[in-house]
């Protein structure tokens, strides 16, 4: 038995390092993607709530029936809406909480486990939702969103790590893409709820959308109680026997089967290799390991950390959350749309229907082509929207054309950068720094989410910059950067195990990565016995070092 004095069966055959997987095992991996509903529902519900008449009246004292707010009145900065500073803080404070929550999650996941950290995030999130639901004042709403942000930070950082570590390599991209799909489902659910409660004349108009968030947290937390921890977490902690047990459960195989032992041997050998390259130390040195190596060395931890954090930054630079956070109020400001809530619902439907395409394309064409051509499609659509809105923005037909291209832009994002960025950050980090690397990358996403949600109301608010459609010049220009970035810096990881990705990043460049083929296993390089077993001293060393985090 692993960890019990008997070695692990290993192989030098790169095609045999992963066990076959049953349908039940696939479903176990896919359920974890449900955590995306957190992120999505919050993006969708706050978008609508900020435009609800009752909510605006409660927080500003304005009455929509006043003559100055009637249709045909002279437009001006003092319209029936929340001030830009209030919208900015209400939306961005959650992103601030998620930034710090994601950073904390990496440590917690290494000490208590990936699954436990996600469940803890659900509990913290529910506390924040209770505060928001009870709020009738600005301060309590902001406090509730800050607390909920910490919970979402835990979940969003570690759910990607959890899925990447348990999913089979052949469908890892599709399963992690399911996280983005659940984000879109969450946005859609929130839009539907907002559409149904928008005209309520009581606090139920915003309390119903807010309180429903707890349902998704409860479903995820309860479900995770019945799912196993990741085998790679147990390898990191030196518990090889437990790793064999959960890997067998995940692959639908007996824990002592040759399939399970071979896959586990490769994970153990890779971890031992990484520990030899950069030895573990105390708490602070383990964080410092994320930034070791040269920026110009492809395999360095620093290069991988910058790749993960900048990729998530670029995902926010596409401007997609401008639509999902502020779309309703933006469509209201265009002045020619009779029902902005309906338009927001349509854009959300486009998002939902487009994302499943990535389940097939990300495994058929790969991560790199999707990010390159997705950025190209987005920048073209955004410049068209910006030019049309600037030249003839008062024409209802032009506005309809703008909305059409916004929908096409959402299609490109949802089928490429939406899932692609999450998939890549779950694959590029070696096991010793994986939890912290993914946490840093997710924190980067939320940091830039926060920055964008702070500045956007000032860019487009009628009482501030009032850029209108010109804001798409900004998003289009940033997407040019995304296109260049994806071409020169994003590697292809399709069809490789996490351990093979580690080797690929050492041996090739991003532009040549799609041609790289695995040529050996870590088990063969670290030490195979004549009987085809992983050397006992490797297993023993990993078990001994498991107490060092």
């Amino acid at each position: 038995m692993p960890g019990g004095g008997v070695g692990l069966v290993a192989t030098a055959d790169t095609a045999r390092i992963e066990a076959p997987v049953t349908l039940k095992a696939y479903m176990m991996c896919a359920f974890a993607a449900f955590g995306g509903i957190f992120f999505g529902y919050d993006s969708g519900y706050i978008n609508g709530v900020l435009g609800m008449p009752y909510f605006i009246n409660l927080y500003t004292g304005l009455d929509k029936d006043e003559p100055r707010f009637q249709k045909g009145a002279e437009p001006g900065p003092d319209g029936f809406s929340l001030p830009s500073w209030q919208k900015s803080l209400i939306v961005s404070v959650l992103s601030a909480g998620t930034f710090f929550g994601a950073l904390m999650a990496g440590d917690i996941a290494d000490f208590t486990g990936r699954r436990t950290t996600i469940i803890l995030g659900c509990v913290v999130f529910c506390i924040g939702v209770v505060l928001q639901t009870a709020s009738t004042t600005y301060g309590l709403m902001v406090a509730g969103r800050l607390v909920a942000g910490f919970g979402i930070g835990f979940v969003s950082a570690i759910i990607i790590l959890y899925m990447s570590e348990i999913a089979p390599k052949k469908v890892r991209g599709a399963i992690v893409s399911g996280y983005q799909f659940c984000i879109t489902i969450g946005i859609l659910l929130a839009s539907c709820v907002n559409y149904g409660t928008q005209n309520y004349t009581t606090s139920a108009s915003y309390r119903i959308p807010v309180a429903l968030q707890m349902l998704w947290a409860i479903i995820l937390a309860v479900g995770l109680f019945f799912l196993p921890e990741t085998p790679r977490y147990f390898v990191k902690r030196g518990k090889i026997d437990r790793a064999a047990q959960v890997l067998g459960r995940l692959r639908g195989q007996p824990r002592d089967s040759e399939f399970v032992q071979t896959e586990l041997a490769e994970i153990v050998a890779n971890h031992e290799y990484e520990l030899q390259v950069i030895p573990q130390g105390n708490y602070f040195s383990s964080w410092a390991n994320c930034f070791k190596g040269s920026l110009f060395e492809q395999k360095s931890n620093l290069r991988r950390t910058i790749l993960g954090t900048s990729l998530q930054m670029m995902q926010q630079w596409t401007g997609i959350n401008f639509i999902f956070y502020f779309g309703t109020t933006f469509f209201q400001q265009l002045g020619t749309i009779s029902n902005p809530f309906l338009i927001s619902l349509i854009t959300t439907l486009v998002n939902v229907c487009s994302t499943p395409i990535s389940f097939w394309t990300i495994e058929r064409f790969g991560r790199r082509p999707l990010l390159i051509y997705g950025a190209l499609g987005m920048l073209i659509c955004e410049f068209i929207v910006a030019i049309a809105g600037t030249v003839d923005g008062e024409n209802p037909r032009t506005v309809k054309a703008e909305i059409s291209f916004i929908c096409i832009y959402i299609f490109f994002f949802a089928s490429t950068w939406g899932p692609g960025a999450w998939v890549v950050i779950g694959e590029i980090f070696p096991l010793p720094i994986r939890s912290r690397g993914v946490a840093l990358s997710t924190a980067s996403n939320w940091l830039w989410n926060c920055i964008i949600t702070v500045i956007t109301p000032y860019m487009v608010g009628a009482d501030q910059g009032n850029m209108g459609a010109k804001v798409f010049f900004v998003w289009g220009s940033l997407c040019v950067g995304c296109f260049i970035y994806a071409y020169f810096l994003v590697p292809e990881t399709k069809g490789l195990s996490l351990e093979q990705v580690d080797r690929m990043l050492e041996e090739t460049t991003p532009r040549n990565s799609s041609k790289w083929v695995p040529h050996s296993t870590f088990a063969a390089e670290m030490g195979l016995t004549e009987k085809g077993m992983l050397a006992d001293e490797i297993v023993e060393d990993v078990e001994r070092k498991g107490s060092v985090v």
Side-chain angles (χ1 to χ4, degrees):
M1 294 296 294
V6 179
L8 292 168
V9 176
T11 182
D13 185 351
T14 59
R16 294 182 57 207
I17 61 167
E18 188 169 88
V21 188
T22 64
L23 177 61
K24 177 184 176 181
Y26 278 126
M27 297 306 295
M28 290 169 64
C29 297
F31 174 79
F34 188 84
I37 292 210
F38 279 50
F39 187 176
Y41 190 90
D42 181 84
S43 302
Y45 104 78
I46 200 64
N47 171 25
V49 164
L50 293 178
M52 289 181 177
Y54 182 89
F55 190 80
I56 295 171
N57 173 260
L58 179 67
Y59 282 84
T60 65
L62 299 174
D63 184 353
K64 71 171 183 176
D65 295 324
E66 291 182 32
R68 60 182 171 140
F69 300 133
Q70 301 308 302
K71 191 172 182 179
E74 285 295 318
D78 300 320
F80 184 70
S81 65
L82 292 173
S84 295
W85 71 269
Q86 279 195 347
K87 284 191 285 189
S88 173
L89 184 56
I90 288 174
V91 175
S92 65
V93 72
L94 181 129
S95 300
T98 52
F99 170 76
F100 291 107
L103 287 179
M104 294 167 57
D107 285 337
I108 298 171
D110 272 349
F111 282 101
T112 68
R114 283 65 161 134
R115 187 184 64 139
T116 307
T117 304
I118 298 169
I119 294 172
L120 177 61
C122 294
V123 174
V124 174
F125 177 76
C126 284
I127 295 172
V129 172
V130 169
L131 293 176
Q132 292 177 71
T133 306
S135 71
T136 55
T137 61
Y138 183 70
L140 189 58
M141 172 62 77
V142 169
R145 284 182 61 76
L146 179 64
V147 173
F150 275 90
I152 294 178
F154 285 9
V155 174
S156 61
I158 305 307
I159 205 81
I160 295 297
L161 177 63
Y162 183 81
M163 287 189 293
S164 296
E165 289 192 341
I166 66 174
K169 64 179 182 178
K170 291 182 179 179
V171 292
R172 186 177 60 244
I175 286 177
V176 178
S177 295
Y179 174 76
Q180 178 66 25
F181 180 59
C182 285
I183 290 176
T184 67
I185 293 292
I187 296 173
L188 176 62
L189 290 171
S191 295
C192 292
V193 175
N194 284 339
Y195 189 71
T197 66
Q198 61 176 306
N199 293 318
Y200 284 15
T201 57
T202 67
S203 61
S205 62
Y206 73 92
R207 280 179 168 157
I208 290 175
V210 172
L212 272 176
Q213 295 178 96
M214 281 189 288
L215 178 61
W216 322 132
I218 292 169
I219 292 173
L220 180 63
V222 171
L224 281 171
F225 272 111
F226 299 97
L227 293 182
E229 184 53 79
T230 78
R232 288 174 172 89
Y233 165 73
F234 285 124
V235 169
K236 181 175 173 61
R237 297 310 301 267
K239 300 176 180 178
I240 309 300
D241 203 45
R242 294 286 302 279
Q245 181 181 356
V246 298
L247 185 59
R249 184 178 170 192
L250 285 167
R251 299 297 183 250
Q253 300 282 336
R255 57 183 293 179
D256 294 324
S257 75
E258 183 175 333
F259 288 119
V260 169
Q261 290 204 24
T262 301
E263 182 173 353
L264 182 58
E266 185 68 3
I267 296 171
V268 170
N270 170 255
H271 186 49
E272 175 68 4
Y273 168 80
E274 291 295 343
L275 291 178
Q276 291 181 5
V277 173
I278 301 182
Q280 296 292 87
N282 59 30
Y283 173 80
F284 294 104
S285 66
S286 65
W287 268 106
N289 286 342
C290 295
F291 305 97
K292 286 189 175 180
S294 169
L295 177 62
F296 303 101
E297 188 178 7
Q298 175 66 25
K299 67 179 181 179
S300 73
N301 286 354
L302 174 63
R303 180 76 173 259
R304 299 187 198 201
T305 299
I306 291 176
L307 174 62
T309 53
S310 57
L311 187 62
Q312 289 295 305
M313 176 185 73
M314 292 285 179
Q315 190 198 55
Q316 289 297 319
W317 278 12
T318 62
I320 193 67
N321 280 328
F322 167 70
I323 299 297
F324 296 125
Y325 281 140
F326 303 107
T328 301
T329 52
F330 173 73
F331 295 138
Q332 286 172 338
Q333 289 174 11
L334 292 178
T336 58
I337 297 175
S338 59
N339 193 338
F341 283 87
L342 181 59
I343 300 300
S344 288
L345 183 58
I346 291 172
T347 59
T348 303
L349 281 169
V350 173
N351 193 27
V352 172
C353 295
S354 303
T355 303
I357 296 173
S358 68
F359 295 177
W360 178 73
T361 56
I362 204 162
E363 298 297 356
R364 174 64 178 83
F365 301 108
R367 288 66 159 149
R368 180 177 161 82
L370 257 64
L371 295 178
I372 292 172
Y373 291 108
L376 180 63
M378 286 190 289
L379 72 88
I380 291 172
C381 292
E382 287 172 320
F383 280 127
I384 290 174
V385 172
I387 293 169
T390 301
V391 173
D392 195 24
E394 300 298 322
N395 188 332
R397 291 184 176 179
T398 302
V399 172
K400 290 178 181 178
E402 288 179 70
I403 293 172
S404 297
F405 277 100
I406 286 174
C407 288
I408 298 172
Y409 149 66
I410 292 171
F411 162 79
F412 276 110
F413 175 85
S415 57
T416 60
W417 273 81
W422 292 112
V423 171
V424 172
I425 68 165
E427 298 174 328
I428 59 174
F429 295 103
L431 182 55
I433 67 164
R434 185 171 296 141
S435 63
R436 290 184 172 94
V438 174
L440 284 167
S441 302
T442 308
S444 172
N445 181 292
W446 288 110
L447 174 63
W448 284 96
N449 185 298
C450 181
I451 291 171
I452 288 172
T453 53
V454 167
I455 65 175
T456 299
Y458 294 96
M459 294 166 65
V460 299
D463 59 338
Q464 298 292 334
N466 200 23
M467 291 181 68
K470 295 185 184 71
V471 74
F472 282 93
F473 281 121
V474 177
W475 308 135
S477 299
L478 291 173
C479 273
V480 172
C482 294
F483 173 78
I484 296 171
Y485 173 91
Y487 180 77
F488 286 104
L489 296 176
V490 176
E492 182 54 70
T493 57
K494 178 188 74 170
L496 303 176
S497 71
L498 295 182
E499 290 68 40
Q500 289 171 340
V501 171
D502 196 27
R503 177 51 52 84
M504 178 270 292
L505 290 174
E506 292 183 353
E507 296 182 349
T508 188
T509 63
R511 282 186 287 173
N512 295 321
S513 56
S514 61
K515 302 175 184 177
W516 185 85
V517 177
H519 51 80
S520 65
T521 67
F522 279 99
E525 293 183 13
M526 295 303 295
L528 279 177
T529 68
E530 293 181 358
K531 295 181 179 180
M533 311 291 286
L534 184 65
D536 289 342
E537 57 267 24
I538 295 176
V539 178
E540 291 168 1
D541 196 46
V542 168
E543 290 181 323
R544 180 177 58 82
K545 293 176 180 177
S547 59
V548 180
V549 178

